[in-house]
Amino acid sequence: MRLVIARCQVDYVGRLTAHLPMATRLILVKADGSVSVHADDRAYKPLNWMSPPCTMSVSEPDVEAAEALGVTEVWQVRSKDGDTLQISLAEVLHDTAHELGIDPGLQKDGVEAHLQALLAEHPATLGDGLALVQREYLTPIGPVDLLLRDAAGDYVAVEVKRRGEIDGVEQLTRYLDLMNRDPALSPVRGIFAGQQIKPQARTLASDRGIEWRLIDYDALRGMDNADERLF
Amino acid sequence: MRLVIARCQVDYVGRLTAHLPMATRLILVKADGSVSVHADDRAYKPLNWMSPPCTMSVSEPDVEAAEALGVTEVWQVRSKDGDTLQISLAEVLHDTAHELGIDPGLQKDGVEAHLQALLAEHPATLGDGLALVQREYLTPIGPVDLLLRDAAGDYVAVEVKRRGEIDGVEQLTRYLDLMNRDPALSPVRGIFAGQQIKPQARTLASDRGIEWRLIDYDALRGMDNADERLF
DNA sequence: CCTTAGATTTCGTGT
DNA sequence: ACACGAAGTCTAAGG
């Protein structure tokens, strides 16, 4: 990993064209070949970058750039599909490199998957008498998060989101349309479940006869812990 | 901007929980308060980070961490909604700080906006006899990118995407449903336009009687240049 | 302030 | 490889 602090000007031509006037910035060159140009804000997002795979070549500035802007060196970073990131360096204030080695990597504890698993274990949270038939029930247009059956024996398709938005309702609608065409399943009703559900999603769901349920993640986790203590 | 290269272990608790075992990484502390932890890959994406506003405090490690892992210093980064990023430093290989000042910022030349503008200027690209009525025609559920009228005087609603996917078709469908309820507009037909349109989006559009058109951005730009030369 | 739509989205995962 | 869904998405614009 190479860290360069320099006054520089940057020009990107690719999926868009962008220009950064001369200013002092951090240029980060990683072992994977990626190059990113950071200002002292915008959190972790660089002003400009090139994702790997890409190649970097260093060249002399043309006379004009050298005289007008004091450019001493030009980096050309080029990706496979022709995108280019050109960094014109005028004054290098810092330049170091470090061997980091490969990272053992990140261990994540997801939320949506966990939410789905918890609801699969406690389907009655979504309504009295509901019982699990299957998780990730496959339809031709994708998997339904949970397939349940109610006390009357009718099927219930459940879409689980951490944050329920309009797209999720559209998705569940498509599943329901399809499943209700299957005589072996019909009638199938829908439940849209989420930790949060946006107002528009609530309205659209209700308008389409789909129930929506707010899920209390912490309470569900609590039930889970209670179970663990019992056994 | 502070650059630290150190062996460290990281623990994040917030919208998810994540853990990074001890390894050598770059820690980037920006003037905006943000902290990000980078490995030597994953392009510009950090392994872990905290977005501003947040506060950092430095403390001594507990005896256990110091003895077992050689931790010499612990950074606690806390956001206002209770998320915490804890960085346990074991060996600091590099630590420098630089004043960068505020960045003049990025000048972008967008794509989708430009595409919409070009199509507004050359609506016949979408079909013979089509003429522009209005860009960003407002409906109660959002703006239709382009409202056109065909040779017969019927309205045509156009949704423009750089990459057309199923969501875009859903969006246009909602607009069309709504507009066709208005006797002053009905009948309104739809055109889904994009530089690329995914197969599923094509199928869904066709299934709903919505035409789809692939747009040649470069050719449109060429037409634009030709116009400029004429005047 | 909330909501929506776009992003050089990026990043997995499954087919 | 392509396609689709999720992201600690983030971010800017509009009501």
Side-chain angles (χ1 to χ4, degrees), chain B residues 13-40:
Chain B
V13 180
R15 276 170 277 193
L16 58 73
T17 56
H19 171 77
L20 287 171
M22 190 65 73
T24 306
R25 306 187 175 93
L26 164 70
I27 306 165
L28 190 60
V29 184
K30 287 193 175 183
D32 63 0
S34 66
V35 179
S36 41
V37 181
H38 284 264
D40 218 342

Side-chain angles (χ1 to χ4, degrees), chain B residues 42 44-45 108 112 161-163 175:
Chain B
R42 290 168 178 78
Y44 71 76
K45 189 94 190 274
K108 276 190 193 183
E112 178 166 327
K161 294 282 178 201
R162 197 166 66 79
R163 290 185 336 203
Y175 293 145

Side-chain angles (χ1 to χ4, degrees), chain A residues 139-141 144 157 169-183 185-186 188-190 208 210, chain B residues 170 204 207-208:
Chain A
T139 76
I141 55 171
V144 177
V169 180
E170 297 285 14
Q171 198 182 336
L172 181 53
T173 304
R174 290 196 293 273
Y175 292 145
L176 288 169
D177 283 352
L178 202 88
M179 294 170 85
N180 273 311
R181 283 184 222 159
D182 182 347
L185 291 172
S186 182
V188 186
R189 61 192 174 91
R208 295 187 177 169
I210 294 170
Chain B
E170 296 286 13
L204 186 65
D207 188 58
R208 296 191 175 162

Side-chain angles (χ1 to χ4, degrees), chain A residues 5 27 38 75 84 110 115 149 171 203 220-221 228-229:
Chain A
I5 303 269
I27 306 165
H38 284 265
W75 294 4
T84 60
L115 203 57
R149 221 160 181 181
Q171 198 182 336
T203 307
L220 264 178
R221 255 196 317 216
E228 282 164 18
R229 280 197 296 276

Side-chain angles (χ1 to χ4, degrees), chain A residues 108 112 161-163:
Chain A
K108 274 191 194 183
E112 180 167 325
K161 293 285 178 199
R162 198 166 66 79
R163 290 188 334 202

